[in-house]
Amino acid sequence: MSFAVETAARTAQAVIVAIDGPSGTGKSSTSKAVAAQLGLSYLDTGAQYRAITWWMVNNGIDITDPGAIAAVAGKPDIISGTDPSAPTISVDGTDVAGPIRTQEVTSKVSAVSAVPEVRARITELQRSIAAAAENGIVVEGRDIGTTVLPDADLKVFLTASAEARAARRNGELKGKEAADLAATKAALIKRDAADSSRKTSPLAKADDAIEVDTSDLTLQQVIECVVTLIEEKRAAK
């Protein structure tokens, strides 16, 4: 195979995929599985916002004061591992994959991620990770197709009913973290409202995104749907 053909083949495979949507639609499970199946890197952008929120909480920053948050947004060193079979995230050298999933962080992440300085910092980080992914990458979040990677090769927007999402989220929570279904549903709806109404990079579907309603689909069906969409993009490149 000539070098030119090899380069062309590699370029054709290196797709950048943006998967957006609210909590509980299956974004993480779908994105990780799709990336692993197709040999792509994977980035959970929500984990990065959770990581900076965890740092703020740990360092006693007043979460109700956007100015205080903005002043220290550049301080934490956040490193994301992009292996879909074992994604990692650390802050200042500390593994925070577990701590960032607590209810305390979950309840505060919308307030922190609404601060423009935080979004600018994390968006820059996300773009640099995507640019460095030689074989392509699946990036999941809430503003990837609209703000972070508007030129992504494929944009998918996952949706699901509030009931379906609450049931899934409850299944993920363990022990005392598991709330009753009504409380989980209410928390999801509150988070949606906060994320959709913020001034900077709100949760929104890109005009050219393909919407997939996962309410009545199994995880495997959603994965197959997205894999098919990516393979069609690769074939068209």
Side-chain angles (χ1 to χ4, degrees), residues 83-159:
D83 177 353
S85 60
T88 58
I89 186 155
S90 67
V91 179
D92 297 336
T94 300
D95 175 3
V96 295
I100 64 171
R101 302 292 169 185
T102 62
Q103 200 56 48
E104 183 180 24
V105 171
T106 299
S107 67
K108 292 173 177 169
V109 68
S110 285
V112 173
S113 55
V115 176
E117 288 81 358
V118 169
R119 296 210 76 80
R121 161 86 199 286
I122 301 293
T123 296
E124 183 183 354
L125 180 60
Q126 291 160 2
R127 285 175 178 159
S128 65
I129 291 169
E134 292 177 11
N135 296 322
I137 191 168
V138 178
V139 184
E140 58 131 321
R142 284 169 166 73
D143 66 338
I144 310 307
T146 53
T147 303
V148 180
L149 301 169
D151 297 325
D153 298 300
L154 174 68
K155 300 174 188 176
V156 178
F157 193 85
L158 299 183
T159 64

Side-chain angles (χ1 to χ4, degrees), residues 7-8 27 49 84 96 161 174 177 216:
T7 304
K27 283 198 311 289
Y49 284 106
V96 295
S161 68
K174 306 280 194 297
E177 288 275 315
D216 300 317

Side-chain angles (χ1 to χ4, degrees), residues 50 100-104 106 165-181 183-185 187-188:
R50 285 173 172 274
I100 64 171
R101 302 292 169 185
T102 62
Q103 200 56 48
E104 183 180 24
T106 299
R165 291 163 50 211
R168 287 172 190 161
R169 185 45 52 93
N170 251 31
E172 293 169 5
L173 298 173
K174 306 280 194 297
K176 64 182 180 182
E177 288 275 315
D180 66 84
L181 206 57
T184 303
K185 180 180 170 183
L188 283 173

Side-chain angles (χ1 to χ4, degrees), residues 40-72:
L40 303 171
S41 295
Y42 160 75
L43 178 62
D44 173 1
T45 64
Q48 295 177 317
Y49 284 106
R50 285 173 172 274
I52 200 166
T53 301
W54 173 86
W55 185 90
M56 298 276 174
V57 171
N58 240 32
N59 284 274
I61 307 303
D62 183 358
I63 302 300
T64 64
D65 181 354
I69 293 171
V72 294

